[in-house]
C-alpha cells in the first residue's frame, strides 16, 4: 500500500501538470515513456527466449516527436506499419528466422508503441467537440479509479482468489470493485464533459 500511495502522490500531480502544459513537453514525456515501456517489453521477451528485432520499434518511437511537430497531428498507423516492416525484415535477415521471433518482434508495437502514439495524436486533436486531452484525462482517471477501487475493495471484502498462479493477492471481489469503480469514474467524466462541452457529446 505504501508503494501505491507514493506512486500516486508523485504520478498523479506529474500527470496533471503534463496534461495542463501539453505542447512539446507532453510529447517529450510520451516519447520517453514509450522508450521505457518498449525497452521493458523487449527485455521480457528476450528473457523468455525470443530473438527479437528492436530496430523498428525504437526507430518509430524516435520518429514520433519530429513527425508530430512537422505534421501537426501524428498518424500512428503509418508508423506502426513501417516499424512492422523493419522488425520483420530484421528477423528474416537472420540465418534461422522463425515465426515466433517475428511475432515477438512486433508484439511491443501493439502493446506499447500504438497506445502511446495514439496519446500523442490525441493531444493535438478534437473529437466531437471534445479536446483529445480531455479524453486522455478520462482514460487515466478510469485506470486510477478502477485500480484504487479494486485494491481497497479487495482488501476489505476479498475472499476468493482470482488467479493465484499469476497474482496471489488478486481476488474476485477486488476485480468486481475495480470494474464498478472504473465504470463510475467514466460516467462522472462523461457527465463533466457534457456540462463543459454542451450539445457536442454523442
Amino acid at each position: 500500500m505504501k508503494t501505491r500511495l507514493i506512486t500516486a502522490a508523485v504520478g498523479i500531480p506529474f500527470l496533471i501538470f503534463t496534461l495542463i502544459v501539453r505542447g512539446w513537453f507532453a510529447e517529450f514525456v510520451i516519447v520517453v515513456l514509450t522508450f521505457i515501456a518498449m525497452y521493458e517489453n523487449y527485455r521480457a521477451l528476450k528473457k523468455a527466449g525470443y530473438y527479437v528485432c528492436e530496430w523498428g520499434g525504437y526507430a518509430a518511437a524516435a520518429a514520433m516527436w519530429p513527425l508530430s511537430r512537422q505534421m501537426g497531428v501524428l498518424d500512428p498507423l503509418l508508423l506502426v506499419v513501417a516499424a512492422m516492416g523493419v522488425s520483420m525484415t530484421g528477423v528474416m535477415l537472420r540465418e534461422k528466422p522463425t515465426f515466433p521471433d517475428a511475432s515477438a518482434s512486433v508484439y511491443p508495437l501493439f502493446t506499447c508503441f500504438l497506445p502511446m502514439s495514439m496519446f500523442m495524436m490525441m493531444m493535438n486533436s478534437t473529437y466531437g467537440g471534445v479536446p483529445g486531452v480531455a479524453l486522455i484525462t478520462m482514460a487515466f482517471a478510469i485506470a486510477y479509479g478502477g485500480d484504487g477501487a479494486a485494491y481497497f475493495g479487495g482488501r476489505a471484502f476479498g475472499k476468493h482468489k482470482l488467479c493465484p498462479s499469476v497474482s496471489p493477492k488478486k481476488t474476485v471481489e477486488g476485480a468486481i470493485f475495480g470494474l464498478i469503480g472504473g465504470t463510475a469514474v467514466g460516467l462522472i467524466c462523461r457527465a463533466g464533459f457534457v456540462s463543459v462541452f454542451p450539445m457536442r457529446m454523442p
Side-chain angles (χ1 to χ4, degrees):
M1 182 176 180
K2 183 178 179 180
T3 303
R4 285 174 178 263
L5 291 175
I6 293 175
T7 303
V10 176
I12 293 177
F14 181 75
L15 174 62
I16 294 173
F17 175 78
T18 302
L19 293 175
I20 291 175
V21 174
R22 288 184 284 176
W24 68 266
F25 178 77
E27 293 180 357
F28 175 74
V29 171
I30 290 174
V31 170
V32 171
L33 292 177
T34 302
F35 270 105
I36 294 173
M38 295 189 70
Y39 170 77
E40 292 296 335
N41 214 322
Y42 282 130
R43 186 176 69 167
L45 290 168
K46 287 188 286 187
K47 283 186 176 181
Y50 295 100
Y51 293 91
V52 296
C53 176
E54 306 171 39
W55 308 339
Y58 288 139
M64 286 170 61
W65 196 5
L67 284 179
S68 178
R69 293 277 95 187
Q70 182 177 3
M71 298 169 61
V73 176
L74 185 69
D75 187 347
L77 293 180
L78 179 64
L79 279 175
V80 169
V81 172
M84 286 180 63
V86 174
S87 299
M88 297 287 283
T89 301
V91 174
M92 293 298 129
L93 290 176
R94 291 174 179 164
E95 185 176 350
K96 295 181 179 180
T98 65
F99 180 75
D101 289 341
S103 300
S105 297
V106 301
Y107 176 76
L109 299 178
F110 293 96
T111 58
C112 300
F113 176 78
L114 183 59
M116 298 302 290
S117 61
M118 292 187 72
F119 279 153
M120 182 172 288
M121 176 189 70
M122 293 171 68
M123 281 283 181
N124 301 315
S125 303
T126 301
Y127 303 89
V130 180
V133 67
L135 298 177
I136 294 174
T137 303
M138 181 178 182
F140 279 103
I142 291 173
Y144 274 111
D147 184 65
Y151 178 76
F152 290 107
R155 282 179 61 90
F157 303 101
K159 294 181 179 180
H160 302 87
K161 298 296 183 182
L162 181 64
C163 189
S165 60
V166 176
S167 184
K169 295 184 179 181
K170 295 290 190 301
T171 63
V172 174
E173 292 81 4
I176 294 173
F177 271 92
L179 177 61
I180 295 173
T183 302
V185 172
L187 292 174
I188 292 171
C189 288
R190 187 188 186 282
F193 292 165
V194 170
S195 64
V196 175
F197 310 104
M199 305 301 292
R200 296 185 179 184
M201 289 293 293

